[in-house]
Amino acid sequence: MSARFEGTADYVATEDLTVAVNAAITLQRPLLVKGEPGTGKTELARQVAESLGAPMIEWNIKSTTRAQQGLYEYDAVSRLRDSQLGEERVHDVKNYIRKGKLWQAFEAESRVVLLIDEIDKADIEFPNDLLQELDRMEFHVYETGETIAATNRPIVIITSNNEKELPDAFLRRCFFHYIRFPDMETMRKIVEVHHPGIKADLLTTALTQFFELREMQGLKKKPSTSEVLDWLKLLLAEDLSAADLKQEGGNALPKLHGALLKNEQDVHLFERLAFMARGQRR
């Protein structure tokens, strides 16, 4: 298994991102990846796993997720019910231990990539509750008295959408990388991966409209990489040309704008600015 991430044919990794991934692997620290939604943070973990030939374990964090769930959960209710029914399995507490994602990663026969996705969705104490486990790569199971230690230290990738600040103690233990929104040239490469052979004039016109839209002041939600890819897919499906886009360009909403603008406030903002621009030209 390769020890270095070099990107993959399906994922355009910038040089600074590649450096960050390999630095985290070398330091054996979690890689904390931030960036606005749609910049490929989650996909990065999948591509690192593919590039290194490693299995991936994905832990999707929600607002109700507790750190303990990543280690294990003890199902005391099932054990009580089984004891009332006289079940034989009740005598072995291990029958009621559910292994969490960290446990699965620690006991894997080969090194895995462990993705802890959108850590900032959880309670503010969540990152601190995982400090020791991620640092020492082991934890104690109180019900059985055993210590679970990592057989092969996993590559840990943690994503955050910056919804809340993460604790300093947690940040100190991570290698940090912020994925900047792709510039025009990087976006061209990304599009070429997903839509190979797209006509150059169509791509130039579409991306010009896309970046102009993103730069509009007052947008509640800027369209992301994943949304421009969806938009281009629709343009290709409708067999639209650069000329078709230019007809709607300037001060009108882009064709099939529902793939780019996701709330009525942004649509109304665009229409209002377009109306004002037309008035100034008269």
Side-chain angles (χ1 to χ4, degrees):
M1 182 169 65
S2 171
R4 289 185 62 79
F5 173 64
E6 303 293 348
T8 70
D10 297 325
Y11 188 87
V12 177
T14 56
E15 186 179 351
D16 59 339
L17 177 56
T18 304
V19 168
V21 171
N22 289 316
I25 293 172
T26 301
L27 293 172
Q28 296 189 328
R29 290 190 179 277
L31 173 64
L32 174 62
V33 184
K34 289 188 178 183
E36 64 180 83
T39 47
K41 300 185 297 296
T42 302
E43 186 61 26
L44 170 65
R46 299 190 181 109
Q47 297 300 327
V48 169
E50 181 181 324
S51 173
L52 302 181
M56 188 175 116
I57 294 175
E58 190 168 345
W59 186 15
N60 297 300
I61 307 304
K62 301 176 182 176
S63 59
T64 55
T65 305
R66 294 175 294 106
Q68 180 64 32
Q69 292 171 313
L71 308 179
Y72 69 93
E73 290 184 279
Y74 170 53
D75 191 352
V77 174
S78 291
R79 194 180 190 195
L80 175 61
R81 185 176 61 245
D82 286 351
S83 69
Q84 292 170 340
L85 297 171
E87 295 282 352
E88 189 63 31
R89 67 196 300 268
V90 76
H91 301 296
D92 187 354
V93 69
K94 288 184 178 180
N95 291 323
Y96 304 93
I97 300 288
R98 296 177 185 168
K99 297 176 181 179
K101 299 293 186 181
L102 265 72
W103 189 330
Q104 294 171 32
F106 286 6
E107 72 173 6
E109 293 180 0
S110 60
R111 182 172 63 169
V112 304
V113 173
L114 172 63
L115 169 64
I116 303 177
D117 202 24
E118 300 191 328
I119 195 171
D120 51 326
K121 280 189 174 179
D123 182 85
I124 190 63
E125 289 304 317
F126 180 91
N128 280 338
D129 291 342
L130 286 177
L131 280 181
Q132 284 195 336
E133 290 76 12
L134 290 176
D135 219 15
R136 298 179 184 175
M137 286 289 155
E138 65 176 35
F139 62 90
H140 188 70
V141 183
Y142 295 98
E143 289 78 6
T144 64
E146 61 186 324
T147 296
I148 307 300
T151 308
N152 298 284
R153 192 180 186 97
I155 297 168
V156 182
I157 297 178
I158 302 169
T159 72
S160 168
N161 286 328
N162 254 346
E163 289 184 14
K164 61 169 72 87
E165 287 295 316
L166 299 173
D168 288 345
F170 180 78
L171 294 174
R172 280 197 299 272
R173 288 166 169 82
C174 297
F175 190 91
F176 172 75
H177 182 73
Y178 183 85
I179 298 183
R180 295 183 183 88
F181 195 83
D183 58 20
M184 179 79 84
E185 195 52 43
T186 304
M187 188 65 83
R188 283 179 181 276
K189 294 176 183 175
I190 293 171
V191 171
E192 185 61 36
V193 167
H194 293 269
H195 303 296
I198 187 170
K199 290 179 181 176
D201 57 343
L202 172 62
L203 181 56
T204 297
T205 302
L207 288 184
T208 299
Q209 290 187 6
F210 169 73
F211 278 101
E212 286 175 353
L213 187 61
R214 267 188 63 85
E215 290 166 10
M216 185 181 297
Q217 295 295 317
L219 275 189
K220 187 175 181 182
K221 183 192 177 304
K222 292 183 178 183
S224 67
T225 306
S226 58
E227 286 157 345
V228 74
L229 291 173
D230 285 346
W231 184 50
L232 285 165
K233 185 177 181 179
L234 289 173
L235 297 182
L236 291 169
E238 294 290 326
D239 198 23
L240 297 176
S241 66
D244 293 325
L245 291 187
K246 287 175 182 175
Q247 286 174 10
E248 299 292 325
N251 297 302
L253 281 164
K255 282 184 179 290
L256 301 165
H257 63 269
L260 299 173
L261 298 174
K262 297 302 177 72
N263 63 68
E264 65 279 7
Q265 291 160 270
D266 288 346
V267 173
H268 292 158
L269 171 67
F270 195 106
E271 290 173 335
R272 190 164 65 249
L273 292 175
F275 179 77
M276 290 169 60
R278 283 195 296 271
Q280 289 172 357
R281 289 204 304 268
R282 286 174 184 165

